[in-house]
Amino acid sequence: DLWVKGCGNQRSAVTQSRNRYLLLHTTSGILRFESLQRAELSDFSCLTTQRSSDPHQLCVMITQLPVGKTNQRGRMLYGRATRHKDVKLCSLGALAFYLAERFH
């Protein structure tokens, strides 16, 4: 079966983790897949803020998109993502798992 073939090795786990992160981040951040695939780690930053009515801090991941399909002239575009209530749909958690698998 095509989906089961190659699922046991480390490389496929990292690839699946990357693809999961890209899917979640493009849907939550309203971004294009091609733009994120060319992104580097230096294009990501985290902005932390807190509302006076909420005891918890809010972390927003900001992504700089210097090149993309709709950005041919070099102007800087930005994408954003926050944590999701459902762990399975959280793009920040997916990025954390991908980086842990990739660099561990």
Side-chain angles (χ1 to χ4, degrees):
D1 187 36
L2 180 63
W3 299 106
V4 178
K5 189 176 183 180
C7 285
N9 60 20
Q10 179 67 18
R11 183 175 178 162
S12 69
V14 173
T15 302
Q16 291 170 4
S17 181
R18 182 201 63 207
N19 291 341
R20 179 177 177 266
Y21 158 68
L22 289 173
L23 173 72
L24 291 174
H25 195 89
T26 53
T27 55
S28 69
I30 312 171
L31 303 169
R32 293 186 178 271
F33 182 78
E34 303 87 26
S35 302
L36 269 180
Q37 204 167 23
R38 289 186 241 165
E40 298 178 3
L41 276 177
S42 61
D43 294 333
F44 295 95
S45 62
C46 183
L47 175 70
T48 306
T49 184
Q50 188 169 6
R51 291 185 278 178
S52 59
S53 61
D54 193 2
H56 300 82
Q57 290 186 343
L58 176 67
C59 178
V60 181
M61 185 171 62
I62 308 293
T63 308
Q64 294 180 354
L65 305 169
V67 177
K69 183 178 177 181
T70 59
N71 187 17
Q72 299 292 326
R73 297 205 164 78
R75 62 175 199 247
M76 193 59 69
L77 297 177
Y78 297 95
R80 85 302 178 252
T82 59
R83 293 180 63 192
H84 198 281
K85 285 183 179 181
D86 187 0
V87 171
K88 297 175 201 163
L89 300 175
C90 181
S91 63
L92 294 176
L95 176 63
F97 277 112
Y98 167 62
L99 292 176
E101 287 181 19
R102 174 78 170 85
F103 294 110
H104 188 262

